[in-house]
Amino acid sequence: MSEIKYFTSEGLQKLKDELEHLIHVERPNIVVAIQEARDKGDLSENAEYDAAKEAQGLLEAKIAELQDLIFNARILDESKIDTSKVLLYSTVRLKNLKINKEMVYTIVPEKEANFKENKISINSPIGQGLLGKQVGDIAEIMVPAGKISFEILEITRQ
């Protein structure tokens, strides 16, 4: 049984779009590749056929995973997010006390994480370390480079 995952409406739409692409574009392409490899003769020594069949298996697993994720997805009403503490979909302005630098992160589900957009996974060390913290709190977070102290400056939602 899969657990419920929360998404914004746009995050869930991205998953649905990806699933549609896999089903209606990638799946037919693999069927064509398998047919072309099959037409080349002896399947026991046909590396192209083996590769296409393996790609088909991986694609079908990805489709099943996305279908399960979408089935168990729930849309989070961002207007009801509590901004008194860091939660999923909170945007947090914080200060790295070691290097005295401010940064802003939005805490998102793992599937929506994108470091270039400052969206960090709720499952990441920083995401986990910030959860439940309030403005003014110091979060000491263990990351691969060692322990980092962050001061929570502001919590908002976008």
Side-chain angles (χ1 to χ4, degrees), residues 13-64:
Q13 188 58 50
K14 283 182 185 178
L15 290 177
K16 289 178 178 180
D17 292 345
E18 181 182 356
L19 179 61
E20 287 298 309
H21 176 77
L22 293 177
I23 290 172
H24 298 294
V25 176
E26 297 298 324
R27 186 183 270 166
N29 288 345
I30 288 181
V31 169
V32 169
I34 290 171
Q35 185 60 43
E36 288 174 357
R38 192 179 283 149
D39 291 344
K40 292 184 180 176
D42 186 6
L43 298 181
S44 65
E45 296 179 14
N46 190 330
E48 286 179 43
Y49 179 78
D50 292 340
K53 288 299 279 182
E54 184 176 335
Q56 182 184 37
L58 293 172
L59 176 70
E60 293 303 326
K62 179 72 174 172
I63 289 171

Side-chain angles (χ1 to χ4, degrees), residues 52-155:
K53 288 299 279 182
E54 184 176 335
Q56 182 184 37
L58 293 172
L59 176 70
E60 293 303 326
K62 179 72 174 172
I63 289 171
E65 177 187 334
L66 279 173
Q67 287 173 329
D68 185 55
L69 191 59
I70 290 167
F71 179 77
N72 291 297
R74 301 293 181 267
I75 294 178
L76 188 65
D77 183 354
E78 293 179 77
S79 67
K80 295 181 180 174
I81 294 176
D82 179 8
T83 58
S84 68
K85 59 186 172 187
V86 179
L87 300 169
L88 184 64
Y89 291 112
S90 293
T91 298
V92 186
R93 188 169 59 89
L94 43 91
K95 181 188 238 179
N96 182 327
L97 298 176
K98 185 174 185 178
I99 60 173
N100 203 31
K101 181 180 176 186
E102 285 189 20
M103 50 199 69
V104 177
Y105 293 122
T106 300
I107 311 298
V108 297
E110 196 166 329
K111 290 278 185 185
E112 293 183 37
N114 184 333
F115 199 72
K116 290 178 183 176
E117 296 175 3
N118 291 333
K119 293 180 178 182
I120 59 171
S121 168
I122 194 167
N123 298 327
S124 70
I126 294 174
Q128 287 288 304
L130 293 176
L131 281 180
K133 299 287 191 261
Q134 297 180 338
V135 172
D137 287 353
I138 305 293
E140 300 219 349
I141 301 170
M142 192 58 119
V143 296
K147 189 182 282 188
I148 300 176
S149 297
F150 294 103
E151 180 183 358
I152 311 297
L153 302 175
E154 181 182 31
I155 302 169

